[in-house]
Amino acid sequence: MDFIRLVPLLPLLPGIGAALNGLFGVRFFGKRVAGLVACTTMALALALSLAAFWQLLQLPAEGRERLVTVATWIPATALQMAGRIGTFQVDWAFRLDPLSAMMSLVVTGVGFLIHVYSIGYMADEPRGAYARYFSYLNLFCFFMLTLVLGSNFLVMFVGWEGVGLCSYLLIGYWYEKKSASDAGKKAFIVNRIGDWGFLLGLFLVYFTFGTLDFREVANRIGASFPIESAQFGVLSLISLLLFIGATGKSAQIPLYVWLPDAMEGPTPVSALIHAATMVTAGVYMVGRNAVLFSHAPMTMEIVMIVGALTALMAATIGLVQYDIKRVLAYSTVSQLGYMFLAMGVGAYAAGAFHLMTHAFFKALLFLCSGAVIHAMAGEQDMRRMGGLKQHLPVTYVTMLVGTLAIAGIPPLAGFFSKDEILLRTFLANKAIWGLAVVTALMTAFYMFRLMSLTFFGQYRGPAWEHSAAPAVHEAAVHGSLHPSDPFAHGQAARDDHEVGHGPADAVQTVTGGHGHGPWHGPHEAPRVMTVPLMVLAAGAIVAGFVGVPPALRGGNAIERFLEPSFTAHQVVAAGAGATVQAAEAGLAEAGEGSQGVAEAGEGGHMSAGGELGLMVLSVLVGVLGIWIAYRFYVRRPEIAEHLKVRWATAHRILSNKYYVDEFYGATAVAGTIASANGLWTIDRTVVDGAVNGSGWLTIFISWMSHLIDKYIVDGLVNLVGSILEESSFVFRRLQTGLVQNYALLMLLGVFAFVSVYLFVRR
């Protein structure tokens, strides 16, 4: 069976789940049915993705690309393009190649595990809200798969906007909480700013090339356009506009501010949207258009610099955060900066490789943080944790795996992908490589700081009833009301919320649902939550082995697998399928351009000894960061407090995130509000004044017209009528009908005539 021809079902399956839960689940489904529908559709999508990926692997390397056209979306229409009138036609089509196949596996695989985890994490939500949550989650996966599988810019844009909508819905899922609803609106608005650039780039793509198909654009660039190394031409402008869209979707400077606030959503949402899928959409888009970006070295330098600065800045902020989810949020921003750094130096395969490994260990870290929050009855402040290692053994081990992976400790996945990025950056730009190494040191430090504050040392959280029976302890699933925040861990302050067990301070009693009494202390999550952690931990351990570099006697299989997606070659479609042929003369230029902003980019070389030296250095940097964090927060915590006091100004700046939100609030937000108020004033006084003045003038003129009509026109008519009426009264007296009266009048007339005649003759 040709599973590749069934690729359109990949987004359709979670779309069906979203429709079922959204249309019927909210009203009719129980929690078990709603969760089963959502997870089953994702499991089927994962199975289809695996089957299609396996069939793709069976094809020869130069032929691993299939185009599946569902239907003609926009029929052929004449439209202006550069220098001529072109034919604008868009097919609703999907393309399966190495890059989209890898992304579909990430979305469906990690997405399925997060769906399963959500069954336990969201168990205390009301039935209707539970189905609504899974409907949003399925809908998000539908749009994300549409984004990564779309064969042209317009289909991608549908998914691009769709995941933005779903992020708004999921971040603001607990809409009763103002901070959550505000965060959802912030994410939506900031993404719209980036989408403005993406749309302009999309328009310019068609105007320049006469097509929106990714492969056709790449082929035409490779065959007809030189690399714009000496000037900022149309390719540079297009790529820059597209990158603006990527900075919004993937949270890069200056549009990164929405991502930390997005932690207001449920933790599984953070894992899905902000670790594994949506935020990587911008990275994927740059990789999908590698030929375009490779012909715009100036834009590539901008991508490289923005990525490096974002990675460094976010890492510095993460050093001092105490909210466990915000540390991971800034870690995500930093790791996304690493991915853009790779794209900026032309290491597209390395960036995509890190995207894949990051999906495993960052989703793992977010879900582990959710297990910690679950164990602490909604507490997210790490200063009120500590010593949880003995209470949460599975969460501790799996989170340690994720921490070591993101720190780049071998042989975990993060080591291989991060080392590849550092190597390519070293070959392209030594100064940027230095910033990347410092960022790696900070990453290892703040991640092990998180581990130290959460799992090591003395327990610093609220007390609990130690005398509770073990059975009662095990019965407490999750969902405690946090002492100071009734919305923590998903509890809205409503009577119909089904709370699992009591508040963390063991004082209040459960008032809703099926409560089990007071909180009985930190406890491990149920198996429906821990099993996904184990699977993701296994992925964080083994995923990196697909990219073992030659210096370690590996073949860097993933780079060879992904390389065809980053070069120009011709696709010949045949019905629902397609075959791929290698391009001939003129397309080699794109391959050369894809090496990066310098010849030392992707195509640069280094001796095995030098590469091993860089590996050792990166490992030592990670180990150093871990050791410093362990010393500061486990062995000698007074050192951290002393440094906090000594460097109070720097600590305050970092704690307040460089005051970027305040700056935006005082400039962009305040300016927008002031402009809106000014425009409202102009509208009220000038526009509405002119309209209202015209209205009053019309009323006055109509009143005057009424007076003229009433007293002059009608007056004259009525006067004529009155005269006729009065005169008719006189003339009616003459019309008596008596012959003698008429004879008398005739006699009088004759007498008058004769009298006048005689008088005149005299």
Side-chain angles (χ1 to χ4, degrees):
M1 184 175 182
D2 188 0
F3 290 103
I4 296 180
R5 295 185 64 181
L6 300 179
V7 161
L9 291 178
L10 272 176
L12 183 61
L13 286 168
I16 292 173
L20 290 176
N21 270 323
L23 296 175
F24 307 107
V26 173
R27 288 182 174 270
F28 307 112
F29 291 173
K31 292 184 180 180
R32 182 183 297 273
V33 175
L36 183 63
V37 167
C39 292
T40 300
T41 54
M42 284 304 300
L44 292 174
L46 174 59
L48 178 57
S49 183
L50 286 168
F53 181 79
W54 177 253
Q55 286 190 347
L56 190 71
L57 286 178
Q58 308 311 308
L59 300 175
E62 67 276 7
R64 288 176 180 158
E65 182 167 354
R66 294 282 294 276
L67 181 67
V68 183
T69 301
V70 178
T72 298
W73 180 16
I74 301 177
T77 305
L79 201 63
Q80 178 68 44
M81 56 177 293
R84 63 185 178 87
I85 299 294
T87 301
F88 179 71
Q89 178 177 332
V90 179
D91 293 331
W92 189 266
F94 299 99
R95 174 175 282 108
L96 191 71
D97 67 350
L99 182 60
S100 61
M102 184 196 75
M103 288 295 298
S104 66
L105 283 177
V106 169
V107 175
T108 56
V110 177
F112 170 69
L113 293 173
I114 292 172
H115 275 68
V116 173
Y117 179 95
S118 296
I119 291 176
Y121 191 87
M122 304 297 290
D124 300 305
E125 289 297 301
R127 181 192 56 78
Y130 191 80
R132 174 169 62 89
Y133 168 82
F134 277 107
S135 177
Y136 292 167
L137 220 58
N138 272 165
L139 186 64
F140 174 85
C141 291
F142 163 78
F143 281 120
M144 190 66 199
L145 287 168
T146 301
L147 188 156
V148 301
L149 291 170
S151 67
N152 56 68
F153 279 97
L154 212 55
V155 175
M156 171 187 268
F157 188 69
V158 171
W160 188 276
E161 290 298 295
V163 294
L165 168 65
C166 292
S167 69
Y168 163 76
L169 296 174
L170 286 166
I171 294 167
Y173 169 75
W174 289 316
Y175 55 84
E176 306 98 331
K177 186 179 181 182
K178 186 177 186 302
S179 59
S181 60
D182 287 348
K185 289 181 285 187
K186 184 176 184 179
F188 192 82
I189 293 171
V190 172
N191 272 273
R192 296 292 75 71
I193 297 172
D195 293 348
W196 162 81
F198 188 92
L199 265 178
L200 291 181
L202 187 152
F203 295 151
L204 195 54
V205 165
Y206 175 78
F207 184 77
T208 304
F209 306 112
T211 180
L212 294 176
D213 185 87
F214 292 123
R215 180 54 59 201
E216 291 184 18
V217 169
N219 291 341
R220 294 181 188 186
I221 293 174
S224 306
F225 287 79
I227 297 176
E228 296 178 345
S229 55
Q231 60 178 353
F232 194 87
V234 64
L235 298 184
S236 299
L237 179 58
I238 292 173
S239 57
L240 182 60
L241 290 172
L242 294 178
F243 178 62
I244 291 174
T247 59
K249 196 67 67 182
S250 294
Q252 298 294 287
I253 294 174
L255 300 179
Y256 70 93
V257 292
W258 67 270
L259 184 57
D261 288 355
M263 298 303 105
E264 292 288 344
T267 301
V269 170
S270 303
L272 179 64
I273 298 182
H274 310 122
T277 50
M278 173 183 163
V279 293
T280 59
V283 180
Y284 169 79
M285 186 270 293
V286 174
R288 174 56 71 199
N289 295 281
V291 176
L292 169 64
F293 278 83
S294 297
H295 281 69
M298 296 182 185
T299 302
M300 293 278 281
E301 289 187 5
I302 295 173
V303 174
M304 176 185 67
I305 294 171
V306 169
L309 293 179
T310 302
L312 181 65
M313 183 202 66
T316 58
I317 297 175
L319 295 175
V320 299
Q321 298 299 310
Y322 288 105
D323 186 306
I324 188 170
K325 287 177 65 176
R326 283 192 176 270
V327 174
L328 296 177
Y330 282 106
S331 171
T332 299
V333 176
S334 182
Q335 295 304 304
L336 289 168
Y338 255 101
M339 297 175 206
F340 278 107
L341 171 60
M343 297 293 175
V345 299
Y348 301 109
F353 182 27
H354 194 58
L355 185 158
M356 185 264 288
T357 60
H358 176 263
F360 281 103
F361 58 71
K362 185 53 66 66
L364 171 62
L365 290 168
F366 266 114
L367 296 187
C368 285
S369 73
V372 171
I373 296 169
H374 147 79
M376 294 300 295
E379 182 61 69
Q380 295 184 199
D381 192 333
M382 296 183 294
R383 290 170 293 189
R384 300 196 66 198
M385 298 179 185
L388 298 182
K389 176 181 177 181
Q390 58 182 335
H391 301 287
L392 290 74
V394 175
T395 302
Y396 164 71
V397 172
T398 53
M399 197 164 194
L400 180 62
V401 170
T403 299
L404 295 177
I406 196 174
I409 304 300
L412 303 180
F415 162 73
F416 295 102
S417 57
K418 185 178 289 188
D419 176 74
E420 187 69 16
I421 294 175
L422 289 174
L423 171 64
R424 301 301 186 186
T425 305
F426 180 83
L427 295 173
N429 190 304
K430 303 297 188 298
I432 297 295
W433 171 81
L435 294 180
V437 170
V438 173
T439 302
L441 174 65
M442 293 181 179
T443 301
F445 174 82
Y446 66 66
M447 285 307 304
F448 209 79
R449 171 180 176 267
L450 182 152
M451 290 293 297
S452 300
L453 290 173
T454 303
F455 293 100
F456 295 105
Q458 298 295 319
Y459 176 76
R460 300 179 298 275
W464 68 90
E465 294 185 1
H466 295 273
S467 60
V472 176
H473 186 152
E474 293 300 325
V477 180
H478 82 294
S480 306
L481 291 176
H482 187 272
S484 60
D485 184 2
F487 292 94
H489 201 92
Q491 307 305 318
R494 301 202 313 249
D495 292 338
D496 61 346
H497 267 259
E498 302 170 14
V499 184
H501 53 74
D505 58 5
V507 174
Q508 302 177 28
T509 59
V510 177
T511 58
H514 52 284
H516 297 285
W519 183 57
H520 299 294
H523 55 278
E524 190 62 86
R527 289 185 62 81
V528 72
M529 294 171 63
T530 56
V531 170
L533 299 184
M534 298 176 192
V535 176
L536 287 171
I541 294 172
V542 304
F545 289 106
V546 299
V548 179
L552 296 178
R553 300 184 181 277
N556 207 339
I558 193 169
E559 181 174 348
R560 289 186 287 104
F561 174 70
L562 292 174
E563 189 58 33
S565 298
F566 305 131
T567 56
H569 53 272
Q570 187 68 39
V571 178
V572 181
T579 60
V580 182
Q581 299 176 342
E584 296 180 355
L587 298 185
E589 181 183 9
E592 296 172 1
S594 67
Q595 306 305 322
V597 291
E599 293 182 359
E602 183 89 58
H605 298 285
M606 175 179 280
S607 65
E611 189 172 345
L612 286 173
L614 288 178
M615 287 183 190
V616 172
L617 176 61
S618 66
V619 173
L620 290 177
V621 165
V623 172
L624 177 62
I626 292 173
W627 178 82
I628 295 174
Y630 183 77
R631 178 173 173 80
F632 281 13
Y633 293 97
V634 179
R635 300 298 298 273
R636 299 283 302 279
E638 66 275 6
I639 296 178
E641 292 299 322
H642 173 72
L643 291 176
K644 178 180 176 180
V645 174
R646 182 175 180 181
W647 300 94
T649 301
H651 187 275
R652 183 170 59 255
I653 292 174
L654 295 179
S655 296
N656 288 280
K657 301 158 288 187
Y658 293 103
Y659 296 97
V660 173
D661 284 308
E662 288 78 3
F663 174 74
Y664 283 171
T667 55
V669 177
T672 301
I673 294 175
S675 300
N677 288 332
L679 292 174
W680 175 75
T681 302
I682 293 174
D683 180 72
R684 183 187 61 179
T685 57
V686 178
V687 179
D688 287 354
V691 172
N692 294 335
S694 300
W696 283 109
L697 180 62
T698 302
I699 293 173
F700 176 75
I701 293 174
S702 65
W703 181 70
M704 291 297 297
S705 176
H706 164 71
L707 293 179
I708 293 173
D709 181 71
K710 180 178 180 181
Y711 294 106
I712 297 179
V713 178
D714 288 354
L716 290 175
V717 172
N718 293 334
L719 178 62
V720 172
S722 298
I723 293 173
L724 292 177
E725 182 181 12
E726 294 299 325
S727 61
S728 67
F729 175 78
V730 175
F731 286 107
R732 279 202 312 272
R733 302 294 295 176
L734 299 177
Q735 302 297 322
T736 63
L738 299 177
V739 176
Q740 57 270 30
N741 290 342
Y742 297 153
L744 177 61
L745 288 174
M746 291 175 60
L747 180 62
L748 291 174
V750 170
F751 177 77
F753 176 78
V754 172
S755 298
V756 171
Y757 174 76
L758 293 175
F759 181 76
V760 172
R761 283 178 58 95
R762 291 178 62 185

